[in-house]
Amino acid sequence: MVDVLPSWREGKIRESILDFVVRVTREGGPDYVPPGERIAVFDNDGTLWCEYPLQVQVFFVLDELRRMGTTDPALLEKPAVRALLAGDVQALAGMPKREVFEPAFMVHAGMSVDAFKGAVGRWIEGAKNPRNGRPFTAGTYRPQRELLGYLRGHGFKTFIVTGGGIEFVRVVSERLYGIPPEQVVGSSTKNAFHATADGVDILKLPQLGSFDDREEKPANIELHIGRRPILAFGNSDGDLAMLRYTLAGPGARLGLLLHHDDAAREFAYDRDFRPSPLGEGLDTTDQYGIHLVSMKNDWRAVFDD
Amino acid sequence: MVDVLPSWREGKIRESILDFVVRVTREGGPDYVPPGERIAVFDNDGTLWCEYPLQVQVFFVLDELRRMGTTDPALLEKPAVRALLAGDVQALAGMPKREVFEPAFMVHAGMSVDAFKGAVGRWIEGAKNPRNGRPFTAGTYRPQRELLGYLRGHGFKTFIVTGGGIEFVRVVSERLYGIPPEQVVGSSTKNAFHATADGVDILKLPQLGSFDDREEKPANIELHIGRRPILAFGNSDGDLAMLRYTLAGPGARLGLLLHHDDAAREFAYDRDFRPSPLGEGLDTTDQYGIHLVSMKNDWRAVFDD
């Protein structure tokens, strides 16, 4: 019988998920967790959708800069912005995520948040991953969408905790994952109230508010959610602090790391993927009690087809 | 028939609330708003519970400083901290909220967020308002609890957006208002991931993260919620930007300001209340289309009794 999590192959990982959900939902059981406290957090890039050869948002900024350019001398100083303007995907793929994302966030400074979301929504309709020709919106992982639905069906509240821009991800989170905007935590620019005769808006400022990666993920979980999750799912070293924070709480906990080891159906990469490596995570799964999920072996399907 | 909002007196304000809810929930109607977008934001101090003669959190810090003192020279320089150490409520009541809250937030720097919440939870069980002898937890306004429940019963998602400390308010929000921690937005210190042999925690840092008042309220609404509310309820000039942001969106909107004009049942104060005045708000209700709620005339009851 495979009505539940049909895209997950039978095996240790699928069992550990089903066991965990049974334990925390069994009323009167020793590991019971009331529904309100069933907080599950998921990284986005590389965990819920494809991030290879670069995160989706990088392609958005690349197209935006092509369209509008920039004459901002502070931005033009950044190697990532020069690579974005040149459309040099290979150079970008050789930089750590933060080096690309921080200046990329600044590109829309001065725009209202509503206008920014409109631009993202229009762009993402037609945009495709240059490596596999798949529309970015078709780059979500079917097993993960099943897992999100399965958890919500058992009283979990599901959150995204992403290094990507919080407003960018919010444009697609409900439609792609059934996760409403207020359950998305992410990197952010500072923003400001702005009232004129034309309207009252929130403007994006050039200053970074938070780069939601590594140790900043659990800090932002506390700021935005205010409870320690009982389940965390990531795919890179940037998710390790969030996994450790989750697993260190009392009672039943589940921490999972997705290993991209499937060159045939998606991509195979880990330690050497500069934008978001998985190395320390691979070395410490036993130490922290993290389950390593093999895309190749644990997933029956990767995408919808 | 008064099954609905029984503590609200019949009249213009109660009608405006009922009308608004009918309009935004009528499927196919011109003002229909899908459930996910029915975001309602409420200030806390003075809007959902009594803030007179000072906000509840000030009394908490006052008791904490009495208990543990401080030798931090940076803190001892602050007039508010000296007044807190001396238990000088009158001096504190003469200061703007930010002057009191900012140093008050620093008092717990270095403590884990979990330990802080434990301290708040223990303190609030026994603590009472010195002016009316009422336990702080019995200082919530019955009409507002009815309104929160009424809105949720009609598909609204209710949020607190408070100048008070986000972790402080989260300790009581679910029990007092039925609002879970993740739907509380507030002032915050920065915090940090901290892993030792003893555990993995989030520590409170001495730096202020956000003082969630005035223009910072709508900016934080965007950061935490990511959608423009359709209903906002406040009681001071600190809520005016949030009200304007809410009312400036398209479609049906409702903005309310509670006027403390009821010396017999609660307190009467507005322009001259230094910690959180209502002056500009009183002068601009017509300009911005804000409904002024009279505690004395619009509420049949104030507290539970």
Side-chain angles (χ1 to χ4, degrees):
Chain A
M1 199 191 84
V2 209
D3 337 294
V4 153
L5 303 183
S7 302
W8 289 77
R9 282 216 187 89
E10 320 257 330
K12 196 176 70 66
I13 292 291
R14 186 171 176 279
E15 280 313 305
S16 71
I17 294 171
L18 299 179
D19 282 358
F20 174 76
V21 171
V22 166
R23 283 160 64 204
V24 300
T25 56
R26 191 188 284 132
E27 279 192 63
D31 291 324
Y32 178 72
V33 176
E37 295 168 27
R38 293 178 203 155
I39 303 290
V41 291
F42 285 75
D43 169 59
N44 185 38
D45 291 317
T47 298
L48 295 180
W49 72 357
C50 180
E51 66 171 350
Y52 200 91
L54 279 169
Q55 290 81 12
V56 177
Q57 188 162 2
V58 179
F59 291 105
F60 169 64
V61 178
L62 205 141
D63 284 350
E64 286 283 283
L65 276 176
R66 257 185 210 138
R67 188 175 60 77
M68 63 192 197
T70 180
T71 53
D72 180 339
L75 275 177
L76 286 169
E77 267 177 27
K78 310 274 182 188
V81 172
R82 290 201 302 271
L84 284 162
L85 280 166
D88 189 345
V89 170
Q90 205 177 340
L92 291 164
M95 299 178 189
K97 185 162 52 173
R98 185 167 188 141
E99 246 175 63
V100 179
F101 273 52
E102 275 201 30
F105 290 148
M106 308 308 137
V107 166
H108 293 91
M111 195 184 249
S112 81
V113 168
D114 287 347
F116 176 80
K117 289 175 181 169
V120 173
R122 285 187 299 276
W123 175 82
I124 204 145
E125 285 319 308
K128 289 180 179 171
N129 184 320
R131 277 292 288 271
N132 61 15
R134 182 181 286 277
F136 287 121
T137 53
T140 64
Y141 303 134
R142 193 159 84 187
Q144 299 292 58
R145 285 184 284 111
E146 289 172 6
L147 178 56
L148 289 168
Y150 174 69
L151 292 172
R152 289 194 291 261
H154 288 79
F156 280 75
K157 201 159 179 176
T158 53
F159 289 82
I160 288 173
V161 179
T162 174
I166 193 165
E167 291 132 355
F168 182 89
V169 176
R170 280 172 171 166
V171 172
V172 294
S173 63
E174 185 131 44
R175 174 179 144 207
L176 296 184
Y177 310 120
I179 294 179
E182 61 271 23
Q183 285 162 228
V184 175
V185 179
S187 297
S188 54
T189 56
K190 289 193 186 296
N191 54 34
F193 177 78
H194 184 74
T196 65
D198 290 337
V200 178
D201 287 302
I202 305 296
L203 293 195
K204 288 174 76 66
L205 299 181
Q207 295 83 29
L208 188 73
S210 169
F211 189 68
D212 189 46
D213 197 33
R214 299 182 180 264
E215 283 72 16
E216 217 153 323
K217 283 201 174 194
N220 276 326
I221 287 172
E222 176 54 38
L223 177 64
H224 285 256
I225 306 176
R227 312 203 223 220
R228 198 187 287 242
I230 63 169
L231 185 156
F233 209 138
N235 79 304
S236 78
D237 293 345
D239 301 313
L240 203 50
M242 164 172 100
L243 282 157
R244 293 177 62 191
Y245 177 59
T246 299
L247 292 168
R253 305 272 153 174
L254 189 65
L256 302 138
L257 266 177
L258 178 62
H259 191 196
H260 292 265
D261 57 0
D262 194 337
R265 296 186 298 178
E266 201 229 19
F267 300 103
Y269 62 92
D270 47 40
R271 293 177 197 277
D272 300 325
F273 184 51
R274 285 296 302 283
S276 194
L278 175 65
E280 193 188 348
L282 286 177
D283 298 334
T284 53
T285 49
D286 287 351
Q287 182 185 343
Y288 299 132
I290 295 168
H291 295 268
L292 192 68
V293 178
S294 160
M295 181 179 276
K296 186 169 157 185
N297 300 318
D298 292 312
W299 285 3
R300 201 181 297 276
V302 175
F303 302 110
D304 282 339
D305 276 312
Chain B
M1 201 190 83
V2 209
D3 335 294
V4 154
L5 303 182
S7 302
W8 289 77
R9 284 215 186 90
E10 320 256 332
K12 196 175 69 69
I13 294 292
R14 186 170 176 280
E15 280 315 304
S16 72
I17 295 171
L18 299 179
D19 282 356
F20 173 75
V21 171
V22 166
R23 282 161 61 204
V24 299
T25 57
R26 190 189 285 132
E27 280 192 62
D31 291 323
Y32 178 72
V33 177
E37 294 168 27
R38 293 178 202 156
I39 303 290
V41 292
F42 285 75
D43 169 60
N44 184 39
D45 292 317
T47 297
L48 294 180
W49 73 356
C50 180
E51 66 170 349
Y52 199 90
L54 279 170
Q55 290 81 12
V56 177
Q57 189 162 1
V58 180
F59 290 105
F60 168 65
V61 178
L62 203 142
D63 285 350
E64 286 283 283
L65 276 176
R66 257 185 209 139
R67 186 174 64 76
M68 62 191 199
T70 181
T71 53
D72 180 337
L75 275 178
L76 286 168
E77 265 176 29
K78 310 276 183 185
V81 172
R82 291 201 302 271
L84 284 162
L85 281 166
D88 189 346
V89 170
Q90 208 178 339
L92 291 163
M95 300 178 189
K97 184 162 55 174
R98 186 169 186 139
E99 247 176 62
V100 179
F101 274 50
E102 274 201 30
F105 290 148
M106 309 307 139
V107 166
H108 293 90
M111 195 184 250
S112 81
V113 167
D114 287 348
F116 175 80
K117 289 176 181 169
V120 173
R122 285 187 299 277
W123 174 83
I124 205 147
E125 285 318 309
K128 288 179 180 173
N129 184 321
R131 276 290 289 268
N132 62 14
R134 180 181 289 277
F136 287 121
T137 53
T140 65
Y141 302 134
R142 192 158 87 187
Q144 299 292 59
R145 284 183 286 111
E146 289 171 6
L147 178 56
L148 289 169
Y150 174 69
L151 292 172
R152 290 194 291 261
H154 288 79
F156 280 75
K157 201 159 180 177
T158 53
F159 289 81
I160 288 173
V161 179
T162 175
I166 195 165
E167 291 132 356
F168 183 89
V169 176
R170 280 171 171 166
V171 173
V172 294
S173 63
E174 185 132 44
R175 174 179 145 210
L176 296 183
Y177 310 120
I179 295 179
E182 61 270 22
Q183 284 163 230
V184 175
V185 179
S187 297
S188 54
T189 56
K190 289 193 186 296
N191 53 32
F193 178 77
H194 184 72
T196 65
D198 290 336
V200 179
D201 288 302
I202 304 297
L203 294 194
K204 287 173 76 67
L205 299 180
Q207 294 82 28
L208 188 73
S210 170
F211 189 69
D212 189 46
D213 197 34
R214 299 183 179 262
E215 283 73 15
E216 217 153 321
K217 284 200 174 196
N220 276 325
I221 287 171
E222 177 53 39
L223 178 63
H224 285 256
I225 305 176
R227 309 202 222 222
R228 198 187 288 241
I230 63 169
L231 184 156
F233 208 139
N235 80 302
S236 77
D237 293 345
D239 301 312
L240 203 49
M242 164 173 99
L243 282 157
R244 292 177 62 192
Y245 177 58
T246 299
L247 292 168
R253 306 272 153 174
L254 189 65
L256 302 139
L257 266 177
L258 178 62
H259 191 197
H260 293 264
D261 57 0
D262 194 336
R265 296 185 299 178
E266 201 229 17
F267 299 104
Y269 61 92
D270 47 40
R271 293 177 196 276
D272 301 325
F273 183 52
R274 285 298 301 284
S276 192
L278 175 64
E280 194 188 346
L282 286 176
D283 299 334
T284 53
T285 49
D286 288 348
Q287 183 185 342
Y288 299 131
I290 295 168
H291 295 268
L292 192 68
V293 178
S294 160
M295 181 179 276
K296 187 169 156 183
N297 300 320
D298 292 312
W299 286 3
R300 202 181 296 278
V302 176
F303 302 111
D304 281 339
D305 275 310

